[in-house]
Amino acid sequence: MFSKKWNVLLLTMCLALFAAGCGKSDSGTGGSASKEGTSASEKVTIKFMHLWPEGVSAGQNKIVNQIINDYQKEHENVTIKQEVLDNEQYKNKLKVLSASNELPDVGVTWAAGFLKPYVEGNLFAPIDDLLGGELKDKFVAGTTEAYAVDDKTYALPLEFNIAPIYYNKAIFKKYNLEVPQTYEQFKGILKTLSDNGVAPIALGNKDRWTGSLWYMYLADRIAGQKTLADAIGGSGSFKDAGLVQAAKEVQSLVDSNAFVKGFNGLSNEEGKAEFLNEKAAMYLMGTWELPNYTTNEEIPKEFRDNVGFFKFPTVEGGKGDINSWVGGPGVGLFVSQNSEVKEEAKAFVQYFVTKWGEQSVTGAGVIPATKVDTSALDLPPLYIDLFNEMNKASSITLFADVQMPANAAETHLNMIQALFGKAVSPEKFSEEHDKAIAKGN
Amino acid sequence: MDKVMSNKKIIALYVLPALLLIMAIVYIPIVLTAYYGLNQWNGIGRMKFIGLDNYAALLTDGTFWKSAWHSLLLAVFSCASLIIYLAVAMVLATRIKGANLFRKIYLIPMLLSSVAIAQLWLRIYHPTNGIVNSVLESIGVANPPAWLSEPKLVLFALFIPILWQYAGFYILIYYAALKNIPASLEEAAKIDGASALQIAWKIKLPLAMEVIKVTVVLAVVGSLKYFDLIYVMTDGGPNGSSEVMASYMYHTAFRAYDFGYGSATGFFLLVICLIVTWVIRKITAAKETIQYS
C-alpha cells in the first residue's frame, strides 16, 4: 500500500518536471507562430538577430534600437525581438539554428561564399521584389550583386567598405616621410621607420583575413585586378607569375620587419592596439574602422586628428592602377524562407535598410550601401575623402575569404598565415589555392 | 525506506529520469555524430551518404595526426605535472603553517573562467608589452621570442597556462585523499622510526594509489579533448602549430563548413579517448589492493 502511494506521487512529479521542461522549449518557437494573425492589425512578432552589441559597436547598436523603436511606433501591431551576439558567436549560432531550421525571421549575413550554402539549403527567401519596389536604384552599383545566387538576390546590403592604409601623420612628420605613390617609395618608408625602431605596420594575423588584405593588394597591383578575380573565381590560376610574385613580395615584407613583432600570434584587435598606441605607423583596414579615427570619443582626439589615409601604392611594371580597391559590401539583411511572418519581415527589412542609410553616416560614421548625399551633411574630412575615393574607384575586388566558398576560404586563410609565417613557399601557396578552388566547396 | 528501495519498480523509477536525460544529452548525440560522419554535409543543406569516406580520409589526414600528436604531448605533460601536484599536496597535508592559505591560493585559478585565464595569459605573453618579455629584456635578453607566434614555441607556451589552470583541482583531490589516510598509521610508522620520505613512499603513496589512477585517467582524457584556452589564445595557429584534435574538429565543422568530416573527427576523438582510458585502466589495474588497517 505504502509503495503504491509513493509510486503515484513520484510518477506525477516526474511527469510534471518533464512537462515543464518541454513547455519551455516550445514557447520559443510556438509562441511567435501562434501570435500571427490573418489580418494586419493582429499582433506580430519579428525575431531579429544581429551582431552589434552595445559594448563593441556602440554607434551601430544605438541606430538599430532607434530604427526598431521608430518602426514599432509606426506599426503598433509589430513587436521586434532582438537577439544580439558578437561576430564569431553570431556566425556559429546562425549555423546551429539553420541546422535545426529555426533561423530568426530577419538576420544579418555576409555576401557571396558565406551566403551560398544557406541559399542552396533553401533557408533564405529571395527578396527581389523589394529591389524592384521602393528601394529601386537606392543602392550603390555593384553592391546587391554580391548577395545574388543564380540571378536572385537573397539579402540587402547595409554597409559598403574599401580598405585604405591608415597612417599616423605625426610619426610620418617626425621622420620626414611623404605619402608614397609607388611601392619603391613605400619600401623606403618601411626602411626608415624600422631603422628608427618604429614598427612600420600594425597587423594582427591570428585572424588571418587581415593578412589576406595585404596579399590581395599586392596581387592586384602586380598581376592586375582581372587576373586576381579570375584566379579566385576558378577560371584563372594562382600560378600566374604575377600572383606568385605577390606572394614572394609578402615574404620579403616580412623579412624586412615591416610588421609588428609577433603579428602571427596577435588578433586584429591586438594588432590595431599597436596603431592606436602610436607604436606602429600604418594600418591597412576597412572603412568600418573610420569611426575610431573620426567621431569615437573613447579615442583621444589628438590621435584621431593625426590619422590620415593613402591608397595602396602602385608597383612598378605591375598591371594594377592606384584607384583599384579591395573591399566590398559588408553585412546585409536576409529574410528567413521558413519565417511565418515573411511579408512583415520583408517590410521591416526595407524600412531598416532605408533608415540605416540615413542614420549610419552621421550616427556610426560608416559608409552605407545605399546612396547618400554627403554634401548636405556635416561630416569629418577623413570620411568625405574616403567616400569620394570610393566613387572614383576603377574596380573593387571583394575580400577573397568572403568571395570563396567556405572550404576554399579556409584554405586561403590558413595559407595566408603560413605564407606570412614563412611556413610555405610562394609556389606551394599558389598550388594549394588552385587545388582548394578546384574542389569547389 | 528499505522496503521502498527493494522494490524493483521503484528502483527503475528513480533511475529513469537521469537515464533518459543522459540518453538524450550524451548517448543519442554520440550515435548521431557517428552517423553524420558517414555523410557529406555542410551543416545546412541536404546530407549525402558517402559511407566510410570521411573516416578513411581522416586516417590519412596529416593535419589531423599532427593535431593528435599535439594532444598526446599535452597528455604526457599533464601526467608529468601530476607528480608535482602530488608532492605539493603531500606537503600541504602535513600540518605545516599556512597550509590552508596555500590550498586556497592553488585553487583560485580553477575558479576563473577559461576565457579570463586566456586573456590574462595573452597579456603575459604579449610580444612587446607582456610581462615575460619585459622581464627578459630587463635582464638583458636582446630579442626575446614572440611566444605565441613562434611555431616551435607556441605549443609549450600554451601548456603552461593549461597546466596552471588545473593545478588546484588535482592538488585538492590529492589533498583530500591524503587527509583520508588514518593518522594512526603515520604515527605507528613514526614510532617505528620511519623517515618522512619513507612515510610518503611506503604509506601515503600506496594508500592514495586508487585516487592517483583516477587522476591519471582524468588528466589524459581531459588533455585529449582539450579545447578552450587554445581556441581563445591562438586559435590553433600559427599555421596549425598549436592545433589539437578538438580545435581541428571545430575548424572543419564551423569554419570550413564540413560537418560530415567534423563529426567524423569528433567521433574518432571519442574512440581514441575510450581506447586510451581502457589501456590506462589495464596497465594500472591493481594486482592486489593494499590495506593497512
Side-chain angles (χ1 to χ4, degrees), chain B residues 97-130:
Chain B
K97 240 185 168 176
N100 221 349
L101 177 73
F102 279 115
R103 203 158 44 92
K104 281 173 187 136
I105 290 176
Y106 287 126
L107 195 64
I108 284 175
M110 213 185 94
L111 304 176
L112 296 173
S113 82
S114 289
V115 177
I117 292 176
Q119 292 296 340
L120 176 73
W121 282 86
L122 276 177
R123 275 157 190 76
I124 291 176
Y125 280 135
H126 193 283
T128 46
N129 310 323

Side-chain angles (χ1 to χ4, degrees), chain A residues 172-185:
Chain A
F172 267 53
K173 206 169 155 199
K174 190 169 164 200
Y175 299 108
N176 289 322
L177 300 169
E178 295 275 332
V179 166
Q181 295 296 319
T182 69
Y183 193 63
E184 282 309 310
Q185 291 170 355

Side-chain angles (χ1 to χ4, degrees), chain B residues 225-282:
Chain B
K225 56 180 198 182
Y226 195 79
F227 177 71
D228 33 10
L229 278 196
I230 288 176
Y231 170 65
V232 182
M233 285 179 71
T234 62
D235 203 12
N239 328 330
S241 47
S242 63
E243 192 96 276
V244 289
M245 286 191 278
S247 66
Y248 185 62
M249 170 185 83
Y250 176 83
H251 287 147
T252 44
F254 283 92
R255 294 268 169 76
Y257 280 18
D258 201 340
F259 256 66
Y261 198 63
S263 300
T265 316
F267 189 71
F268 210 71
L269 177 59
L270 174 81
V271 172
I272 291 178
C273 283
L274 281 177
I275 293 174
V276 169
T277 313
W278 182 75
V279 168
I280 294 175
R281 296 304 281 180
K282 262 275 161 316

Side-chain angles (χ1 to χ4, degrees), chain A residues 1-3 6-7 10-11 14 18 88 91-93 95-96 98-99 113-114 117-123 206-208 261-266 270 274 277 279 406-407 410 414 417-419 421-423 441, chain B residues 1 3-4 7 9-10 13-14 17 20-21 40-45 122-123 126-129 133 137 143-146 148-149 151 231-235 237-240 250-251 253-259:
Chain A
M1 199 51 214
F2 176 69
S3 75
W6 272 103
N7 247 334
L10 277 170
L11 201 67
C14 285
F18 265 94
E88 199 67 17
K91 282 185 187 165
N92 290 346
K93 176 133 191 188
K95 197 117 218 290
V96 173
S98 63
F114 182 90
Y118 291 91
V119 171
E120 281 165 359
N122 204 17
L123 291 165
K206 185 170 106 183
D207 293 347
R208 307 172 299 172
K261 188 176 174 180
F263 58 84
N264 251 357
L266 299 176
E270 288 169 304
E274 302 286 303
N277 295 333
K279 283 192 178 149
N407 216 329
E410 193 60 15
N414 284 339
Q417 205 180 42
L419 183 73
K422 304 193 73 180
N441 66 337
Chain B
M1 208 58 195
K3 208 172 144 200
V4 179
N7 185 334
K9 279 185 197 152
I10 298 273
L13 197 65
Y14 272 127
L20 283 179
L21 274 179
Q40 191 180 31
W41 186 36
N42 64 11
I44 297 165
L122 276 177
R123 275 157 190 76
H126 193 283
T128 46
N129 310 323
N133 281 2
E137 266 166 17
N143 200 7
L148 296 179
S149 62
Y231 170 65
V232 182
M233 285 179 71
T234 62
D235 203 12
N239 328 330
Y250 176 83
H251 287 147
F254 283 92
R255 294 268 169 76
Y257 280 18
D258 201 340
F259 256 66

Side-chain angles (χ1 to χ4, degrees), chain A residues 201-205 210-211 214 259-260 263-264 266-267 271-272 283 420:
Chain A
I201 299 162
L203 172 70
N205 205 30
T210 41
W214 282 95
F259 303 106
V260 290
F263 58 84
N264 251 357
L266 299 176
S267 68
K272 185 166 80 186
Y283 181 49
F420 274 77

Side-chain angles (χ1 to χ4, degrees), chain A residues 206-438:
Chain A
K206 185 170 106 183
D207 293 347
R208 307 172 299 172
W209 56 268
T210 41
S212 169
L213 292 178
W214 282 95
Y215 172 74
M216 284 197 68
Y217 265 120
L218 282 166
D220 177 280
R221 295 295 189 260
I222 295 170
Q225 195 265 341
K226 198 178 170 314
T227 316
L228 176 63
D230 285 351
I232 293 173
S235 55
S237 163
F238 274 90
K239 288 193 189 116
D240 176 273
L243 292 175
V244 175
Q245 181 60 33
K248 275 185 191 146
E249 209 52 64
V250 165
Q251 294 194 325
S252 90
L253 282 180
V254 173
D255 284 338
S256 61
N257 288 325
F259 303 106
V260 290
K261 188 176 174 180
F263 58 84
N264 251 357
L266 299 176
S267 68
N268 179 35
E269 292 301 314
E270 288 169 304
K272 185 166 80 186
E274 302 286 303
F275 182 64
L276 296 179
N277 295 333
E278 307 196 55
K279 283 192 178 149
M282 293 175 270
Y283 181 49
L284 170 59
M285 195 39 62
T287 39
W288 58 79
E289 273 297 313
L290 263 176
N292 286 339
Y293 313 130
T294 52
T295 52
N296 188 345
E297 295 292 339
E298 275 165 34
I299 289 163
K301 188 162 180 350
E302 304 84 72
F303 175 76
R304 280 184 274 147
D305 289 344
N306 267 338
V307 176
F309 78 92
F310 59 84
K311 301 181 239 186
F312 201 97
T314 49
V315 176
E316 211 163 298
K319 290 180 194 147
D321 76 282
I322 201 155
N323 280 322
S324 163
W325 295 86
V326 172
V331 293
L333 291 184
F334 71 83
V335 171
S336 164
Q337 177 74 293
N338 301 317
S339 166
E340 311 255 2
V341 287
K342 213 190 269 177
E343 288 314 309
E344 287 86 349
K346 276 187 187 173
F348 173 65
V349 165
Q350 174 168 331
Y351 183 89
F352 192 97
V353 169
T354 320
K355 293 289 166 191
W356 178 272
E358 291 165 11
Q359 296 185 12
S360 62
V361 178
T362 47
V366 294
I367 300 178
T370 37
K371 289 175 190 160
V372 268
D373 181 13
T374 49
S375 58
L377 299 164
D378 182 27
L379 294 162
L382 191 66
Y383 183 98
I384 296 187
D385 289 348
L386 264 170
F387 191 86
N388 292 337
E389 286 298 342
M390 195 186 276
N391 290 333
K392 274 198 318 209
S394 62
S395 76
I396 294 175
T397 312
L398 187 56
F399 307 110
D401 59 317
V402 176
Q403 214 179 131
M404 294 176 187
N407 216 329
E410 193 60 15
T411 306
H412 166 69
L413 293 171
N414 284 339
M415 278 295 125
I416 285 287
Q417 205 180 42
L419 183 73
F420 274 77
K422 304 193 73 180
V424 291
S425 64
E427 289 76 19
K428 177 96 176 139
F429 173 86
S430 307
E431 209 180 293
E432 291 290 325
H433 270 81
D434 280 353
K435 241 200 286 182
I437 289 168

